Amino acid sequence: MKLSDDGFNARRLRPRGPNRWRMRIGAALAAVLAAFGILLGMAGIASLLGRPPAIDGLDTSTTGAAILTVFGVLFLYLGIFVWRRCRRRMRRTQDLNLAPHLMKRHD
């Protein structure tokens, strides 16, 4: 194989890998958001069942408990959605993107 002197570097063809720290921090924050959603939903359900949590500032009425439960479920859903998206982006391969018909056949 001939070495070229014009400064060609094959490593430049490969896309630079993204910084993984952003995705890790995003996944951690999403997990915290999902845990907060679980706790908020549990507090709302406990208030609906007649056993309000001993936390000052939470509305213990039926409407307030229903709102807490809805927000808890929404935070849980949002946290899981963001966490799965971050995990999917972290596991994406960083290889060259070649069409399958250009690969060498192994028949």
Side-chain angles (χ1 to χ4, degrees):
M1 184 166 143
K2 180 183 173 190
L3 295 176
S4 62
D5 294 329
D6 60 354
F8 175 75
N9 187 359
R11 291 184 187 190
R12 286 185 298 171
L13 293 177
R14 242 177 237 285
R16 221 171 138 216
N19 194 356
R20 300 269 186 214
W21 286 108
R22 266 192 299 163
M23 290 298 120
R24 287 181 183 154
I25 291 172
L29 290 176
V32 169
L33 185 66
F36 178 69
I38 290 171
L39 293 175
L40 200 61
M42 285 174 48
I45 290 172
S47 292
L48 282 174
L49 295 176
R51 309 227 1 145
I55 300 174
D56 292 335
L58 284 181
D59 191 7
T60 57
S61 67
T62 307
T63 307
I67 290 172
L68 283 178
T69 305
V70 168
F71 275 115
V73 170
L74 288 176
F75 283 152
L76 175 64
Y77 177 74
L78 182 67
I80 290 173
F81 177 75
V82 172
W83 182 76
R84 288 183 68 186
R85 189 172 173 123
C86 288
R87 292 287 294 171
R88 195 177 305 131
R89 290 186 101 186
M90 278 194 298
R91 292 181 181 269
R92 191 176 358 167
T93 61
Q94 298 299 322
D95 295 335
L96 287 174
N97 297 325
L98 293 176
H101 70 277
L102 295 177
M103 304 291 254
K104 187 183 284 187
R105 295 183 187 224
H106 298 287
D107 290 335

